[in-house]
Amino acid sequence: PGVYVPFMRQLTNDLNLSGEIKTEILHHLGQCNTKIGKMSKISLSEVIADHKKSITNLIQLHKANKVYLISHSLGSAVSISLNEHLKDKIDKFFILCPFMGPSKVNLNYLKIFKNPISRYGLSLGSKAILSNKEVSRRFFNRWLGDNELNGVIINEIKKSYFIDHFFILVSGYFKDFDQLNIKETVKKLDPNKTFFIFAKEDFWVPIEYTKLLPESSKFEVLDDISHDFCLFGPQCKKVSEVISKEIS
């Protein structure tokens, strides 16, 4: 969740709203909540149920006049799934780079997580990289580019059971997304309550997904952001400007 702090700060500044503003960044089940201990199984349905409980509790706690739910990547799959349950409590769903399951572009990559042998090897390799501060720094700088949030990512991934839980969750993507059928659910969303943002070039979200949206849906395709826009200041600002314009 820490990687979204600069983006939320940027968005709060750009909105320039009056009155008290409350923002909450929610983590996925098992990825940052180390109090629950190691979990042997985590399904996407369980992640969605956990978010539903958290979001409902926050809405009841703050009793806000306006509620906006901003989701990204896997979080967008969660938001799409919960839309029917939360649409009367949330004023607008902003759905960013919506990952809706395996596609032909990332299929082979996700199969690595599905296969128990390759998954185990990748898990050991990941833990070995993270065990050395300098090696992990160089690895993430090479992978994601040299940015100030790489340190945040490393610290969060190093938390107890994060890697174990992440690998368990991703290993079930094929089955979970098939059962949830998010690509059909998105077709039923209310265009008046949703706004989508896509990256033009996105390994995780094919641009063809725009064709799944209901007729008259509002969306923008940005050619100057990546799927991981939250890691880069100029990209955060671009996405923030689009959202701010839609809210104002």
Side-chain angles (χ1 to χ4, degrees):
V3 297
Y4 293 104
V5 171
F7 169 64
M8 291 307 301
R9 187 183 300 122
Q10 177 72 58
L11 180 59
T12 301
N13 290 337
D14 288 345
L15 285 171
N16 194 28
L17 299 174
S18 59
E20 185 179 14
I21 300 174
K22 291 284 188 180
T23 61
E24 296 281 350
I25 302 174
L26 305 179
H27 58 74
H28 295 314
L29 176 68
Q31 289 190 13
C32 288
N33 186 358
T34 57
K35 296 179 181 179
I36 58 178
K38 188 173 182 179
M39 303 173 69
S40 60
K41 177 182 175 295
I42 306 174
S43 69
L44 184 53
S45 294
E46 291 172 312
V47 170
I48 293 170
D50 184 65
H51 277 302
K52 179 182 178 181
K53 180 180 178 181
S54 299
I55 294 169
T56 301
N57 288 343
L58 285 170
I59 292 173
Q60 293 175 345
L61 174 65
H62 295 300
K63 297 179 174 58
N65 294 327
K66 292 281 186 179
V67 179
Y68 300 105
L69 181 61
I70 302 172
S71 56
H72 172 245
S73 193
L74 180 63
S76 291
V78 174
S79 179
I80 292 168
S81 298
L82 290 178
N83 182 271
E84 183 64 27
H85 302 284
L86 298 174
K87 63 182 182 181
D88 294 331
K89 300 177 181 179
I90 292 175
D91 293 272
K92 196 90 169 186
F93 294 78
F94 289 91
I95 302 172
L96 319 179
C97 304
F99 178 68
M100 300 188 211
S103 68
K104 61 182 180 181
V105 177
N106 55 54
L107 191 65
N108 289 332
Y109 178 78
L110 290 174
K111 284 181 178 178
I112 297 174
F113 292 87
K114 184 180 180 182
N115 183 294
I117 296 176
S118 56
R119 181 172 71 245
Y120 180 68
L122 190 58
S123 175
L124 288 180
S126 300
K127 291 177 181 178
I129 289 172
L130 289 168
S131 67
N132 185 292
K133 184 176 180 180
E134 181 60 20
V135 171
S136 59
R137 184 189 68 80
R138 291 185 179 184
F139 175 83
F140 279 92
N141 282 357
R142 185 175 180 84
W143 178 26
L144 299 173
D146 189 2
N147 69 80
E148 61 182 20
L149 290 175
N150 282 349
V152 175
I153 295 172
I154 293 170
N155 289 335
E156 290 194 356
I157 293 177
K158 287 174 69 174
K159 289 180 179 178
S160 299
Y161 310 126
F162 182 102
I163 289 180
D164 297 307
H165 292 165
F166 174 76
F167 277 63
I168 291 171
L169 176 62
V170 178
S171 70
Y173 272 7
F174 288 90
K175 180 185 68 176
D176 290 349
F177 275 96
D178 185 57
Q179 290 177 345
L180 290 168
N181 206 0
I182 303 244
K183 293 174 186 176
E184 287 299 317
T185 303
V186 75
K187 297 177 182 178
K188 304 173 184 176
L189 302 184
D190 182 355
N192 296 316
K193 300 207 69 171
T194 56
F195 187 92
F196 291 80
I197 295 178
F198 293 85
K200 187 175 182 179
E201 301 289 340
D202 193 333
F203 178 77
W204 296 108
V205 186
I207 197 62
E208 292 80 14
Y209 281 5
T210 57
K211 299 177 182 178
L212 299 174
L213 305 184
E215 188 176 351
S216 76
S217 290
K218 287 186 175 182
F219 70 91
E220 284 205 28
V221 178
L222 305 180
D223 58 8
D224 48 0
I225 70 164
S226 63
H227 187 84
D228 301 313
F229 71 87
C230 54
L231 301 179
F232 309 99
Q235 295 185 34
C236 280
K237 184 168 181 58
K238 180 64 178 178
V239 175
S240 175
E241 288 173 351
V242 174
I243 294 175
S244 299
K245 182 179 179 181
E246 179 64 21
I247 290 177
S248 61

